[in-house]
Amino acid sequence: MVLNNITAFQFFSSVALGLLCFKIVNKFLPWVYVNIIGPYFLGPKLNIRSMGGWAVITGSTDGIGRAYAKALAKRGFSLVLISRSLSKLEDVAKEIENEYKVETKIIDVDFQDSIGIYDRIKAGIEGLDIGVLINNVGVSYPYPEYFQTFYQQNPKVLLDMVSVNIHSVTHMCALVLPVMLSRKKGLIINVSSSITSVPAGLLTLYSGTKAFVDKFSEDLQTEYRDSGITVQCIKPGFVATKMSKVKASMWCPTPDTYVASALNMLGYTTTTPGYFPHHFLEIPCDFMTYLTCKPFVSSMFLKHYLKLRKSALKRLSQKK
Ligand SMILES: NC(=O)c1ccc[n+]([C@@H]2O[C@H](COP(=O)([O-])OP(=O)(O)OC[C@H]3O[C@@H](n4cnc5c(N)ncnc54)[C@H](OP(=O)(O)O)[C@@H]3O)[C@@H](O)[C@H]2O)c1
């Protein structure tokens, strides 16, 4: 078939090329802007300092939370540090006050405890001009439960994980939002995990709690975008902390490197891995899923986790 000297093949290949170009312009270029050009070349879109005088950080005595505390103190925020161990809180508060000359308040609570802890936190933050909330506190499985299948897990471990990883996020947002809404500005950063983007059988509850944080953040942002509130959900891959027990490298940054990068991404997108190399870790999984199918990729991941479990249990039995 020939249409005015153009063959059907030429016609359809032009349409296909046009669609491909449209897809690139429509999907890829905004992705490059939001994840690379914006954060790395233009800097954060959001003036975090204008949000208010105080920042509240949960899980602030170690790892990512402590790095956020230092980064915000460096920008002049006074801090409410909330964590479990009083002595560690006192040490971190003293270190930050000395180094950055900002005011700090500490609240020692265990997020595994019952709802009463939120009355203590409410009393502790009363009257403060809170501009930033970092919902960072989170727990994974204690070793060796890490390697047990879901039904074998201690029910107390399951309950505590939901209390720390989910209830802390919802209740802390409910406590600070009225202050932020009254001033029509505020920033809430919720810490999820890249585990929500890959199959995670054997880490089922942990990944489920983090998936909650993703969806909750997206919808909270929709609800309060027009009220001047910015919500950012960060989804780190491995960061070199006590929780991950992984050494620092390009793929596993120190908490300070990770937080500096995530703060640069503020204002571009609600959900982000927060650190450029962590974007790449999702690509092989997406690619395999695209080429094959999700159940196949999930079972490959599960086989890998089962191998890890086998060698960990072997190590454990050799230690005994
Ligand atoms: N590290 C990673 O590779 C990674 C990857 C993805 C997502 N994340 C997420 O990032 C967040 C921070 O992780 P991290 O690696 O920085 O953890 P981390 O180094 O283990 O630090 C956890 C912090 O939370 C506090 N905390 C733990 N349980 C608590 C409880 N029940 N009540 C009150 N405070 C408690 C700890 O206080 P104490 O010092 O008193 O124990 C510490 O300050 C978590 O939500 C985690 O799920 C981490």
Side-chain angles (χ1 to χ4, degrees):
M1 184 174 74
V2 178
L3 308 164
N4 293 336
N5 294 336
I6 303 175
T7 63
F9 174 75
Q10 283 170 330
F11 174 75
F12 286 117
S13 45
S14 308
V15 170
L17 195 67
L19 282 175
L20 187 69
C21 291
F22 175 75
K23 196 94 181 147
I24 289 173
V25 172
N26 196 28
K27 285 261 183 224
F28 185 64
L29 292 186
W31 187 92
V32 170
Y33 170 70
V34 160
N35 294 295
I36 304 174
I37 297 176
Y40 289 98
F41 295 96
L42 306 176
K45 234 179 173 184
L46 194 79
N47 178 5
I48 187 173
R49 198 58 203 91
S50 69
M51 292 290 161
W54 285 80
V56 178
I57 303 142
T58 67
S60 45
T61 49
D62 239 313
I64 297 173
R66 185 165 172 270
Y68 265 114
K70 288 195 296 173
L72 294 175
K74 198 174 170 186
R75 286 163 172 77
F77 280 96
S78 299
L79 303 179
V80 181
L81 304 169
I82 308 179
S83 222
R84 184 169 39 185
S85 326
L86 183 60
S87 61
K88 282 176 81 177
L89 276 166
E90 287 169 344
D91 289 349
V92 173
K94 203 190 280 173
E95 183 195 329
I96 288 178
E97 280 179 8
N98 288 341
E99 196 170 342
Y100 301 104
K101 313 293 175 224
V102 296
E103 207 179 327
T104 65
K105 282 184 90 164
I106 56 175
I107 304 176
D108 61 315
V109 291
D110 189 332
F111 283 102
Q112 294 175 5
D113 289 348
S114 61
I115 188 107
I117 59 166
Y118 295 99
D119 292 334
R120 273 193 60 208
I121 297 176
K122 188 177 178 191
I125 62 175
E126 192 97 63
L128 300 179
D129 163 36
I130 296 165
V132 178
L133 166 67
I134 315 282
N135 274 316
N136 160 77
V137 73
V139 284
S140 185
Y141 304 94
Y143 189 84
E145 274 91 341
Y146 192 87
F147 298 102
Q148 286 173 346
T149 53
F150 176 72
Y151 86 92
Q152 291 174 305
Q153 309 225 342
N154 177 344
K156 174 83 171 82
V157 169
L158 302 181
L159 190 69
D160 289 346
M161 199 180 288
V162 172
S163 299
V164 178
N165 294 7
I166 294 183
H167 293 159
S168 71
V169 176
T170 55
H171 288 66
M172 289 305 300
C173 286
L175 283 184
V176 303
L177 265 170
V179 183
M180 293 179 171
L181 289 171
S182 69
R183 292 164 37 258
K184 296 192 171 46
K185 57 185 176 183
L187 167 67
I188 296 175
I189 298 179
N190 294 329
V191 182
S192 170
S193 167
S194 64
I195 198 87
T196 62
S197 306
V198 296
L202 283 189
L203 298 173
T204 306
L205 182 65
Y206 177 71
S207 64
T209 60
K210 291 300 179 183
F212 169 88
V213 176
D214 280 7
K215 177 73 173 137
F216 176 77
S217 305
E218 285 281 348
D219 292 344
L220 195 72
Q221 179 63 102
T222 306
E223 220 173 304
Y224 290 108
R225 182 173 284 112
D226 294 341
S227 312
I229 311 296
T230 300
V231 181
Q232 186 194 44
C233 175
I234 56 164
K235 296 176 41 165
F238 278 121
V239 178
T241 67
K242 278 189 189 144
M243 180 193 274
S244 70
K245 299 181 183 66
V246 179
K247 276 193 191 151
S249 67
M250 187 183 87
W251 300 105
C252 176
T254 64
D256 290 339
T257 305
Y258 177 79
V259 165
S261 165
L263 284 173
N264 262 346
M265 298 192 174
L266 274 175
Y268 287 101
T269 170
T270 302
T271 306
T272 170
Y275 176 67
F276 190 57
H278 287 174
H279 276 287
F280 278 101
L281 298 177
E282 291 174 11
I283 293 173
C285 175
D286 287 349
F287 192 62
M288 275 193 294
T289 310
Y290 182 72
L291 286 184
T292 57
C293 63
K294 208 166 184 180
F296 174 75
V297 178
S298 303
S299 74
M300 271 177 56
F301 271 80
L302 183 63
K303 274 183 196 146
H304 174 65
Y305 294 138
L306 285 168
K307 262 192 205 157
L308 287 179
R309 177 171 78 161
K310 205 170 167 187
S311 52
L313 291 177
K314 201 170 158 193
R315 275 202 308 276
L316 206 65
S317 67
Q318 280 164 355
K319 266 192 198 165
K320 279 180 187 165

